[in-house]
């Protein structure tokens, strides 16, 4: 899904004025009597979507006229009309066009139909303003397929766009062109894709890869030409292109494995740096590739177990064989070659292993299925921990993961046994998650852990979820079937459940008992008698039918009870369900054959009733049974075999997992989830009998690259931070170094012992890619920012930077040990690409713009701790304390009631985020809601009369708030470290409302993070009158660490300070205005008695804080 980024530009704030007053002053209106102006027909939520900050307003805002009366805006309730948007798009002013396009794109984003604006929008595709052009292309991608004829008229403009110097425009033009689904322009699309595949910008090449499947679906005859483009793009060395081109390969020509040979090692090495979407696609493709190119890693085991009785995968007992037995078996097979893993196979496993720590569940699942299908049995276990971690995610993710774990746990039970407790069921789990966890627990049950598992099952039976209870009883039955030692225990437990008050529990127990009794019927006559007595009470049809089947099947074990059960059933026959009636007929027939003296008349009576039943199955069964056991004079050929037919020994049912045969589908696929072949699913190939030639993956290394290794090595010996570096390549690599340091650490730890000798060809590739990517991806502004960051850190981080470079170099060299000699090299680009244009790649839809870090209060983090924490972060940006502040805050409070405000309701809340305008101010969120039937216009803060020291940063004026609409804005108040109320006026065009905000003392401060020693040192300076101590008793509900910290941080905006003692809590903060320290210590004892101490230069604040915290802790 493409992301829509709000793009910078000059914006016109729309007015909301009456039509009569506006016509005279608006430069864009038509003649008199025309439609109402565009800005009057807009709805308030659309206004909020695209409202610009104050500084963005331009002189064009003079179109706003005098304010009308509230009653005159009757057109507010009319549906949105597009005529005024069309007029804006027809003007010569880029600012109006941009405003119109923003509104149109906002409508599309909210699901509204804007297709009738297509002619007006498509005319602006040739606009010179880049911001307008980008939004026009966004619109055209959405509607080009619907309005094909009109889009075709602009083909020439799109073709010119393909030659535009701006990479964004080139990519957008190609995207629009490929969205026009008209066969006549296929040659134009093909030419555009071929040109884009050779583009200097990796983003344009990525867009070309996205366009390939679109063209293929439009005209499959172009396959051969598209394969040539795919082959060219597969050789691309940038991570931005890799995922997209592999997706195109999978869509167009997944059978052309030969295209992957030369690029296999490069894809393996690039995998760690590709975006998550691309990682999933590449891993899936490489899984299928490996199954066709490498030998099975379980080959040795299959050879040792080769006999007719054993399957391809050995059983658990065979896996547990000692090494001695394996050696003996190997000696018995001298003709077989021992299995040696292909180095390329090992490269794939090694390079995907770090991705098990990915934040994306899809990537972890993709690596897990790769290991399950490709890795030796001894190495598959590494995926278990990663999959168990995913069980802490959302229920949808849990469902997919548990489906795959259930399949894996059948073949590789030992892999998940250490994590048995992770599959215990929580009461908050949805039913489908509970049932899947039950499935996994049942698969993992063995003679060692079965007591623990059965104890869990006993707890689950008490659940209120009936489907879950039924599944638990079935799981107990499966455990009894699989583990003979506990069969009697399970059977006795199920019999006890027969006295349960819940009818569904009893019914499910009967069905499971029936299956278990079939295994050893002779030993359980008493249980059958017990079940016979339940026929009076159980009303669930399936359970009644199961009891009748058991009594009929084993009637010789209960000769006295069976006829009596038939008598009772005959009395209620007409009222029974169909499934029960069929079993009553069976019971009558079996008793007639074994005990005709007692049951002959009963049988005739039952068959007579069944003869006239409404259900034809029951009528047919009755006629058939009568002729079989009591034939008339004409018939009787089968009657002599009646006993063999009715009383034949029946095999015991096999209780198996429903996931037993799912592993023939590739794990993680939709087909595996549905247990049915989905459209587009590609079967996982079987392992080859003999390994294909591995030399097809070798790539010749040009001679000149070998000579340049020494020069490269000299360049790498330069200091990490140097002022002479350029703005593009070196800056980017320098700024990303801490991340690579952490990655290299994990890689080198997992790959230790794998060898260190390799050439530096892969390292050259990496450097070359970084340089190439940075040339096209970084703007001048970013380069300047990163230069400043470099200079700032050069003095304090020189040694760390150089050490991290060494770590990453060693990591990359060990990582490429297999492929370094044969990796393909390209000559370094000798062209010096000029700095990026005014729009950088970060403006693209596929990228998230870097978030602006909020301004933090001064001296919030001590310098020593900041340095320590900065070394631990994954980025090289300095520590932002506001990101570490406690999340909890005071809830919304009423500022203006809707009755007093004549329909306008206003609430406020303390956001606990630094206020961007002034770090000394408290940031507040103000929530406006219009409960009246008329729009409220011109909401703003009147001139406040405030006490000395208190100041207000007003929120931007809200032009209009329609009936039923709500909006939120932010304002800042400097309370000057006091709890005095800030009084001000909320004004509309017609009214003024006096309001007041009084802050709790806990909202006047910001958190400080310091070490334990620093806390004690500062506390020692604030004694005597600066220290307030109070004793209190903590209630039972507030003695846990979590509750204490939560209540304190909710009351006061303080940061937690680490403490060695388990029964002591320390918090620190500074007041926003003066920066005075506030230190809070809570000494809690096991009995509930506690002592609260607050040290602060501001004694008034300290006293009030003690009072508020005690009130919060003792509530």
């Amino acid at each position: 899904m493409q992301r829509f980024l709000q793009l910078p530009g000059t914006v016109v704030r729309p007015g909301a004025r009456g039509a009569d007053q506006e016509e005279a002053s608006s430069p864009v209106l038509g003649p008199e009597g025309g439609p109402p102006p565009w800005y009057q027909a807009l709805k308030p939520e659309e206004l909020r979507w695209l409202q610009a900050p104050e500084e963005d307003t331009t002189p064009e805002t003079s179109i706003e006229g005098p304010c009308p009366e509230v009653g005159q805006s009757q057109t507010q309730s009319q549906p949105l009309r597009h005529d005024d948007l069309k007029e804006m798009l027809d003007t010569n002013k880029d600012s109006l066009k941009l405003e119109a396009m923003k509104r149109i794109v906002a409508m599309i984003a909210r699901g509204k139909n804007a297709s009738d604006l297509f002619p007006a929008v498509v005319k602006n595709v040739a606009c010179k303003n880049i911001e307008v052009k980008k939004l026009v292309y966004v619109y055209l991608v959405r509607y080009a397929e619907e309005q094909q004829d009109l889009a075709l008229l602009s083909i020439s403009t799109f073709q010119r766009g393909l030659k535009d110097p701006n990479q964004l425009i080139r990519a957008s033009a190609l995207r629009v062109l490929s969205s026009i689904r008209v066969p006549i322009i296929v040659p134009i699309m093909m030419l555009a894709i071929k040109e884009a595949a050779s583009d200097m910008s990796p983003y344009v090449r990525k867009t070309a890869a996205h366009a390939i499947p679109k063209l293929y679906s439009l005209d499959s005859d172009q396959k051969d030409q598209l394969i040539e483009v795919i082959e060219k793009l597969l050789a691309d060395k940038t991570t931005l292109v890799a995922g997209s081109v592999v997706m195109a390969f999978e869509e167009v020509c997944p059978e052309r494995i030969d295209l992957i040979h030369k690029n296999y090692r490069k894809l393996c090495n690039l995998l760690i740096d590709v975006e998550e979407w691309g990682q999933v696609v590449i891993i899936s493709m490489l899984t299928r590739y490996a199954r066709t190119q490498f030998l099975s890693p379980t080959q040795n085991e299959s050879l040792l177990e080769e006999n007719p009785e054993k399957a391809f995968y050995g059983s658990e007992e065979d896996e547990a064989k000692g090494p001695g037995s394996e050696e003996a078996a190997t000696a018995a097979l001298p003709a077989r070659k021992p299995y040696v893993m292909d180095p390329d196979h090992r490269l794939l496993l090694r390079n995907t292993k770090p991705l098990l720590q990915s934040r994306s569940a899809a990537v972890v699942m993709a690596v897990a299925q790769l290991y399950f299908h490709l890795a030796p049995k001894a190495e598959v276990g590494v995926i278990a921990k990663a999959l168990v971690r995913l069980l802490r995610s959302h229920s949808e993710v849990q469902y997919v993961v548990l489906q795959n774990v259930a399949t894996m746990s059948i073949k590789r039970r030992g892999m998940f046994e250490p994590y048995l407790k992770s599959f215990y069921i929580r009461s908050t789990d949805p039913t489908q998650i509970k049932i899947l966890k039950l499935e996994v627990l049942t698969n993992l049950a063995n003679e060692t852990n079965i007591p623990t598992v059965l104890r869990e099952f006993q707890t689950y039976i008490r659940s209120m979820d009936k489907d879950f209870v039924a599944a638990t009883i079935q799981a107990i039955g499966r455990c009894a079937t699989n583990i003979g030692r506990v069969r009697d225990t399970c059977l006795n437990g199920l019999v006890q459940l027969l006295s349960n008050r819940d009818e569904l529990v009893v019914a499910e127990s009967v069905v499971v008992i029936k299956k278990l009794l079939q295994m050893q019927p002779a030993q359980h006559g008493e249980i059958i008698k017990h079940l016979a007595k339940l026929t009076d009470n159980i009303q669930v049809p399936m359970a009644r039918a199961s009891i009748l089947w058991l009594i009929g099947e084993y009637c010789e074990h209960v000769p006295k009870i069976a006829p009596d059960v038939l008598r009772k059933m005959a009395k209620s026959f007409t009222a029974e369900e169909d499934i029960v009636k069929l079993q009553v007929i069976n019971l009558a027939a079996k008793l007639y054959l074994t005990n005709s003296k007692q049951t002959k008349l009963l049988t005739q009576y039952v068959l007579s009733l069944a003869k006239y039943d409404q259900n034809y199955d029951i009528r047919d069964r009755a006629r058939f049974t009568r002729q079989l056991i009591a034939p008339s004079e004409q018939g009787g050929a089968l009657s002599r075999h009646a006993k063999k037919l009715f009383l034949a020994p029946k095999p015991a049912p096999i209780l198996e997992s429903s996931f037993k045969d799912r592993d023939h589908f590739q794990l993680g696929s939709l087909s595996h989830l549905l247990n049915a072949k989905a459209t587009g699913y590609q079967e996982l190939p079987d392992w080859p009998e003999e390994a294909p030639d591995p030399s097809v993956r070798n790539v010749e290394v040009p001679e000149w690259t070998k000579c340049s290794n020494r020069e490269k090595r000299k360049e790498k010996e330069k200091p990490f931070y140097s002022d002479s570096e350029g703005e593009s390549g070196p800056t980017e690599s320098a700024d990303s170094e801490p991340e690579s340091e952490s990655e290299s650490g994990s890689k080198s730890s997992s790959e230790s012992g794998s060898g260190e000798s390799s050439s530096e060809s892969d390292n050259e590739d990496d450097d070359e890619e970084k340089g190439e990517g940075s040339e096209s991806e970084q703007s001048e502004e970013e380069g300047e920012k990163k230069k400043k960051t470099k200079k700032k850190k050069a003095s304090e981080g020189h040694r760390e930077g150089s050490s991290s470079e060494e770590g990453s170099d060693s990591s990359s060299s060990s990582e490429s040990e297999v492929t370094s000699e044969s990796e393909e090299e390209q000559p370094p680009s000798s062209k010096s690409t000029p700095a990026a244009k005014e729009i950088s790649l970060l403006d693209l839809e596929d990228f998230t713009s870097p978030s602006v870090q909020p301004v933090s209060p001064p001296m919030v983090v001590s310098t020593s701790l900041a340095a320590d924490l900065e070394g631990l972060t994954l980025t090289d940006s300095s520590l932002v304390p506001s990101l570490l502040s406690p999340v909890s805050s005071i809830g919304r409070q009423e500022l203006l009631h809707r009755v007093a405000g004549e329909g306008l309701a206003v609430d406020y809340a303390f956001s606990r985020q630094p206020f961007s305008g002034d770090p000394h101010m408290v940031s507040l969120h103000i929530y406006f809601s219009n409960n009246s039937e008329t729009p409220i216009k011109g909401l703003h803060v009147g001139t406040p009369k405030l006490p000395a020291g208190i100041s207000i940063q007003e929120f931007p004026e809200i032009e209009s708030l329609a009936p039923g609409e709500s909006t939120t804005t932010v304002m800042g108040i400097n309370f000057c470290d006091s709890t005095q109320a800030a009084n001000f006026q909320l004004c509309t065009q017609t009214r003024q409302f006096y309001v007041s905000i009084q802050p709790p003392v806990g909202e006047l401060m910001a958190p400080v993070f310091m070490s334990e020693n620093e806390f004690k040192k500062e506390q020692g300076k604030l004694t005597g009158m600066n220290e307030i101590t109070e004793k209190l008793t903590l209630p039972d509900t507030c003695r846990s660490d979590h509750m204490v910290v939560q209540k304190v941080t909710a009351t006061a905006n303080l940061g937690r300070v680490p403490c060695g003692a388990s029964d002591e809590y320390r918090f620190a903060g500074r007041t926003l205005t003066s920066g005075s320290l506030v230190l809070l210590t809570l000494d809690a004892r096991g009995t509930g008695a506690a002592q609260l101490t607050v040290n602060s230069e501001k004694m008034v604040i300290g006293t009030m804080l003690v009072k508020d915290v005690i009130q919060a802790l003792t509530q």
Side-chain angles (χ1 to χ4, degrees):
M1 182 184 296
Q2 294 179 349
R3 304 189 192 116
F4 166 65
L5 293 186
Q6 288 198 353
L7 301 166
T10 307
V11 182
V12 180
R13 170 164 286 107
R17 307 294 182 230
D20 297 332
Q21 290 90 338
E22 189 63 57
E23 284 184 0
S25 58
S26 171
V28 298
L29 283 182
E32 292 185 7
W38 58 271
Y39 42 80
Q40 191 176 6
L42 284 174
K43 294 183 180 177
E45 63 264 28
E46 290 163 2
L47 185 71
R48 292 199 305 277
W49 261 72
L50 295 164
Q51 208 160 27
E54 285 292 323
E55 59 270 13
D56 284 341
T57 51
T58 60
E60 279 83 9
T61 52
S62 60
I63 63 172
E64 297 183 358
C67 302
E69 294 298 323
V70 176
Q72 291 181 1
S73 57
Q74 296 171 351
T75 54
Q76 285 283 348
S77 59
Q78 293 180 359
L80 181 65
R81 300 181 65 179
H82 296 152
D83 293 346
D84 299 300
L85 289 174
K86 293 176 183 176
E87 290 178 6
M88 291 177 69
L89 290 170
D90 289 340
T91 61
N92 295 325
K93 292 188 177 181
D94 286 345
S95 57
L96 287 175
K97 288 183 179 180
L98 181 62
E99 182 67 20
M101 284 311 305
K102 283 190 175 184
R103 294 181 180 283
I104 292 167
V105 173
M107 288 164 58
I108 296 171
R110 293 168 52 213
K112 295 194 174 184
N113 184 16
S115 58
D116 58 334
L117 289 165
F118 194 91
V121 173
V122 80
K123 284 189 291 186
N124 289 285
V125 76
C127 179
K128 293 182 180 179
N129 186 302
I130 288 181
E131 302 302 325
V132 175
K133 187 178 282 192
K134 283 195 288 188
L135 290 180
V136 169
Y137 277 126
V138 169
Y139 176 91
L140 292 176
V141 168
R142 168 67 180 81
Y143 286 111
E145 193 167 347
E146 295 179 17
Q147 305 270 354
Q148 295 175 353
D149 294 339
L150 289 171
L152 285 173
L153 297 176
S154 302
I155 287 289
S156 58
T157 310
F158 301 146
Q159 289 178 292
R160 281 199 302 274
L162 294 170
K163 308 289 186 184
D164 196 276
N166 190 313
Q167 58 181 352
L168 296 174
I169 302 302
R170 296 200 301 276
S172 298
L174 179 59
R175 193 182 294 119
V176 175
L177 199 60
S178 60
S179 300
I180 304 174
R181 316 287 293 163
V182 182
I184 196 171
I185 64 163
V186 164
I188 298 174
M189 288 170 62
M190 176 60 73
L191 190 63
I193 290 174
K194 286 182 176 178
E195 288 180 359
S198 306
D199 198 278
M200 291 293 291
S201 165
Y203 179 69
V204 179
R205 300 199 297 274
K206 178 189 180 79
T207 309
H210 288 167
I212 289 172
K214 293 183 184 178
L215 179 54
Y216 179 70
S217 65
L218 185 62
D219 184 4
S220 57
D221 294 338
Q222 306 292 325
K223 183 173 180 177
D224 292 339
Q225 294 186 61
L226 290 175
I227 289 175
E228 293 176 10
V229 180
I230 290 173
E231 187 173 11
K232 182 177 183 178
L233 288 173
L234 279 170
D236 201 300
K237 294 189 176 182
T238 55
T239 55
L240 197 63
V241 181
S244 302
V245 68
V246 170
M247 188 69 218
F249 169 82
E250 291 280 80
E251 291 283 336
V252 177
C253 53
E255 73 284 351
R256 288 290 303 272
I257 294 291
D258 57 293
L259 299 179
I260 305 297
H261 291 324
K262 298 288 184 186
N263 303 291
Y264 171 81
R265 293 168 182 166
K266 182 195 69 181
L267 287 173
C268 288
N269 288 320
L270 288 182
L271 191 57
I272 197 80
D273 296 318
V274 177
E275 78 274 9
E276 293 164 348
W277 174 83
Q279 286 173 343
V280 174
V281 175
I282 294 173
I283 290 171
S284 178
M285 185 274 292
L286 291 179
T287 303
R288 290 191 305 105
Y289 177 86
R291 287 290 287 252
T292 62
Q293 300 299 311
F294 307 129
L295 292 177
S296 169
T298 57
Q299 188 182 54
N300 280 354
E301 296 156 24
S302 61
L303 293 178
L304 295 176
E305 297 161 1
E306 201 169 52
N307 62 56
E309 286 78 30
K310 298 207 175 177
F312 182 80
Y313 290 105
S315 63
E316 295 298 320
E317 291 79 23
D318 295 325
E319 283 182 58
K321 281 184 180 179
S325 61
E326 287 186 9
E327 290 170 9
T330 309
L333 296 166
R336 302 280 188 176
K337 290 183 179 179
Y339 172 75
V340 178
M341 182 176 283
D342 190 296
D344 288 329
H345 191 170
R346 171 59 61 196
L347 175 72
L348 175 60
L349 293 176
R350 189 175 66 242
N351 283 12
T352 51
K353 187 176 180 180
L355 295 178
L356 287 171
Q357 299 171 22
S358 172
R359 64 182 179 179
S360 168
V363 174
V364 176
M365 192 65 247
V367 178
Q369 65 85 22
L370 180 138
Y371 263 74
F372 183 80
H373 291 303
L374 301 182
K377 284 187 179 180
E379 298 179 28
V380 177
V382 299
I383 67 175
K385 190 172 183 180
L387 291 175
V388 168
R389 173 173 63 87
L390 295 184
L391 295 181
R392 301 177 191 141
S393 190
H394 305 293
S395 57
E396 294 83 359
V397 175
Q398 288 183 49
Y399 181 75
V400 175
V401 171
L402 284 168
Q403 289 260 10
N404 290 277
V405 170
T407 302
M408 294 181 193
S409 60
I410 295 173
K411 286 284 176 69
R412 311 277 170 89
R413 180 191 301 166
M415 188 165 71
F416 293 100
E417 280 178 2
Y419 306 99
L420 184 71
K421 290 186 178 179
S422 299
F423 300 101
Y424 285 177
I425 290 154
R426 300 182 179 89
S427 58
T428 54
D429 286 336
T431 303
Q432 65 269 24
I433 300 295
K434 292 178 180 176
I435 292 172
L436 283 172
K437 284 186 174 180
L438 266 181
E439 181 73 36
V440 175
L441 286 173
T442 310
N443 291 344
L444 297 182
N446 55 31
E447 294 197 354
T448 307
N449 60 29
I450 190 64
T452 312
V453 173
L454 288 179
R455 274 199 302 275
E456 275 292 304
F457 287 173
Q458 284 176 350
T459 310
Y460 301 159
I461 287 170
R462 303 190 196 107
S463 171
M464 299 298 292
D465 187 340
K466 302 308 174 193
D467 293 336
F468 171 48
V469 171
T472 303
I473 294 171
Q474 291 173 9
I476 293 173
R478 275 183 56 200
C479 289
T481 307
N482 298 336
I483 304 167
R485 185 170 67 86
V486 296
R487 188 171 298 152
D488 292 342
T489 309
C490 293
L491 201 50
N492 292 335
L494 291 170
V495 170
Q496 289 176 9
L497 288 179
L498 297 178
S499 58
N500 195 295
R501 292 181 181 178
D502 193 328
E503 194 176 350
L504 288 173
V505 174
V506 177
E508 198 64 42
S509 302
V510 168
V511 175
V512 175
I513 287 172
K514 169 203 159 191
K515 294 176 181 176
L516 294 180
L517 286 182
Q518 284 183 260
M519 298 178 184
Q520 296 171 324
Q523 302 174 15
H524 302 295
E526 290 300 317
I527 295 177
I528 298 174
K529 290 177 184 177
H530 185 71
L531 290 172
K533 295 175 184 176
L534 293 174
T535 51
D536 295 335
N537 302 323
I538 295 181
Q539 299 302 322
V540 178
M542 190 65 199
R544 291 172 71 83
S546 297
I547 293 174
L548 293 174
W549 186 90
L550 271 175
I551 293 171
E553 189 68 19
Y554 306 114
C555 52
E556 68 274 10
H557 297 295
V558 283
K560 296 180 180 179
I561 293 177
D564 196 51
V565 171
L566 180 60
R567 178 182 62 81
K568 290 181 179 179
M569 289 293 107
K571 286 173 67 176
S572 62
F573 183 85
T574 54
E576 298 289 350
E577 292 288 333
D578 292 346
I579 189 173
V580 181
K581 289 179 181 178
L582 291 172
Q583 290 304 327
V584 172
I585 295 171
N586 280 351
L587 174 62
K590 291 174 182 176
L591 289 178
Y592 182 88
L593 292 171
T594 57
N595 188 2
S596 59
K597 184 185 289 187
Q598 283 184 292
T599 58
K600 183 175 182 181
L601 292 173
L602 272 175
T603 303
Q604 290 176 355
Y605 176 68
V606 168
L607 292 175
S608 299
L609 289 174
K611 184 178 179 181
Y612 300 102
D613 196 89
Q614 291 184 348
N615 189 310
Y616 58 81
D617 283 337
I618 295 168
R619 296 198 299 270
D620 291 350
R621 179 73 64 87
R623 293 189 183 101
F624 168 74
T625 305
R626 184 188 294 275
Q627 288 300 318
L628 201 57
I629 62 176
S632 60
E633 295 177 359
Q634 294 86 2
L638 284 175
S639 60
R640 67 177 75 106
H641 303 295
K643 278 197 175 183
K644 289 183 181 178
L645 290 171
F646 278 102
L647 301 174
K650 299 171 180 64
I654 300 172
L655 300 178
E656 290 183 334
S657 168
S658 59
F659 289 83
K660 184 178 180 184
D661 298 321
R662 281 204 191 186
D663 60 336
H664 64 276
F665 291 116
Q666 186 172 353
L667 293 184
S669 64
L670 179 62
S671 299
H672 175 270
L673 191 73
L674 302 174
N675 199 21
K677 190 171 181 179
T679 306
Y681 174 73
Q682 297 176 38
E683 296 282 352
L684 201 61
D686 293 326
W687 293 103
E689 292 293 329
E690 295 182 4
D693 182 14
S695 64
V696 294
R697 290 182 291 278
N698 292 344
V699 180
E700 294 181 6
V701 182
E703 286 297 322
W704 60 267
T705 53
K706 296 176 184 175
C707 301
S708 64
N709 280 352
R710 189 180 301 278
E711 296 171 10
K712 291 274 184 183
R713 214 173 284 120
K714 287 179 181 177
E715 288 177 12
K716 288 185 180 178
E717 289 170 5
K718 290 181 181 179
F720 181 70
Y721 293 108
S722 80
D723 293 335
S724 61
E725 287 178 344
E727 289 181 11
S728 53
T731 308
E732 181 176 344
S733 61
D735 279 291
S736 62
E737 200 58 30
E739 186 172 354
S740 67
E741 179 184 10
S742 65
E743 287 178 10
S744 66
S746 64
K747 285 184 198 172
S748 58
S749 64
S750 64
E751 296 163 19
S752 57
S754 60
E756 297 178 8
S757 60
S758 69
S759 75
E760 309 224 353
S761 59
D762 283 343
N763 295 341
E764 293 170 29
D765 285 346
D766 294 343
D767 292 349
E768 192 174 310
E769 285 158 18
K770 283 184 180 179
E772 182 182 336
S774 59
E775 283 179 73
S776 59
E777 291 178 21
Q778 278 188 248
S779 65
E780 292 180 351
E781 292 180 5
E782 290 165 349
E784 289 170 9
K785 287 179 185 175
K786 292 187 178 181
K787 266 189 176 179
K788 292 175 184 175
T789 310
K790 256 191 312 183
K791 290 177 182 177
K792 183 179 175 183
K793 289 191 175 183
S795 58
E796 60 185 29
H798 185 81
R799 288 183 60 191
E800 294 177 10
S802 58
S803 66
S804 83
E805 185 182 21
E806 291 168 10
S808 62
D809 282 350
S810 64
S811 161
S812 58
S813 63
S814 65
E815 195 176 313
S816 59
E817 61 173 339
V818 179
T819 62
S820 58
E821 293 294 329
S822 55
E823 188 65 66
E824 183 181 7
E825 295 291 333
Q826 296 293 335
S829 175
S830 57
K831 300 174 186 176
S832 58
T833 308
K837 313 283 185 300
E838 64 267 25
I839 295 127
S840 71
L841 254 183
L842 295 175
D843 288 333
L844 288 169
E845 300 163 352
D846 295 340
F847 289 84
T848 308
S849 58
S851 57
V852 180
Q853 295 175 347
V855 182
S856 55
M859 291 301 293
V860 175
V861 184
S862 63
T863 53
S864 61
L865 185 66
D868 294 339
L869 289 175
E870 190 170 349
L872 296 174
T873 56
L874 291 177
T875 64
D876 63 349
S877 58
S878 58
L879 186 67
V880 181
S882 64
L883 300 177
L884 303 174
S885 63
V887 177
S888 58
S889 60
I890 306 300
R892 283 171 63 159
Q893 301 178 53
E894 189 177 83
L895 186 62
L896 179 65
H897 192 270
R898 58 190 175 86
V899 176
E902 299 179 357
L904 175 65
V906 186
D907 294 340
Y908 70 97
F910 295 91
S911 68
R912 292 196 174 181
Q913 296 296 324
F915 186 68
S916 57
D918 184 354
H920 300 297
M921 286 190 169
V922 177
S923 177
L924 294 104
H925 285 174
I926 312 295
Y927 306 90
F928 296 91
S929 179
N930 184 359
N931 297 296
S932 67
E933 295 179 357
T934 58
I936 297 173
K937 300 185 178 181
L939 269 170
H940 63 279
V941 175
T943 307
K945 295 179 181 179
L946 301 168
I950 297 182
S951 58
I952 288 181
Q953 178 70 47
E954 302 168 8
F955 57 83
E957 180 178 345
I958 297 171
E959 306 245 349
S960 179
L961 195 61
E965 295 294 334
S966 301
T967 189
T968 305
T969 187
V970 180
M971 68 182 294
I973 302 179
N974 185 349
F975 288 100
C976 200
D977 290 350
S978 73
T979 55
Q980 278 185 288
N983 303 307
F984 56 96
Q985 297 172 358
L986 279 178
C987 304
T988 66
Q989 286 182 354
T990 56
R991 288 299 308 271
Q992 294 180 349
F993 306 100
Y994 290 86
V995 293
S996 176
I997 296 179
Q998 184 169 12
V1001 69
E1003 300 299 329
L1004 300 176
M1005 51 197 73
V1008 172
F1009 300 89
M1010 54 176 62
S1011 65
E1012 187 174 3
N1013 291 335
E1014 288 175 333
F1015 183 95
K1016 290 179 179 178
K1017 181 180 176 182
E1018 295 293 341
Q1019 193 177 34
K1021 299 177 184 177
L1022 299 171
T1023 55
M1025 294 183 67
N1026 292 327
E1027 185 175 279
I1028 301 109
T1029 303
E1030 288 286 347
K1031 293 186 178 179
L1032 67 153
T1033 302
L1034 295 175
D1036 294 338
T1037 57
C1038 189
R1039 293 186 185 177
S1040 66
D1041 289 4
H1042 175 70
M1043 287 304 297
V1044 170
V1045 174
Q1046 184 181 13
K1047 285 185 178 280
V1048 172
T1049 53
T1051 306
N1053 190 13
L1054 299 174
R1056 179 95 184 263
V1057 176
C1059 180
S1062 60
D1063 55 355
E1064 189 171 341
Y1065 306 88
R1066 293 175 179 157
F1067 304 85
R1070 285 187 187 275
T1071 58
L1072 284 172
T1073 304
S1074 63
S1076 303
L1077 266 178
V1078 179
L1079 307 177
L1080 186 147
T1081 308
L1082 180 66
D1083 190 2
R1085 297 170 182 82
T1087 58
Q1091 180 172 300
L1092 179 67
T1093 305
V1094 172
N1095 302 78
S1096 175
E1097 298 169 10
K1098 303 265 186 181
M1099 289 183 290
V1100 177
I1101 284 184
T1103 306
M1104 298 172 71
L1105 185 60
V1106 166
K1107 181 181 175 182
D1108 287 358
V1109 172
I1110 289 177
Q1111 183 180 355
L1113 290 173
T1114 54
Q1115 273 181 349

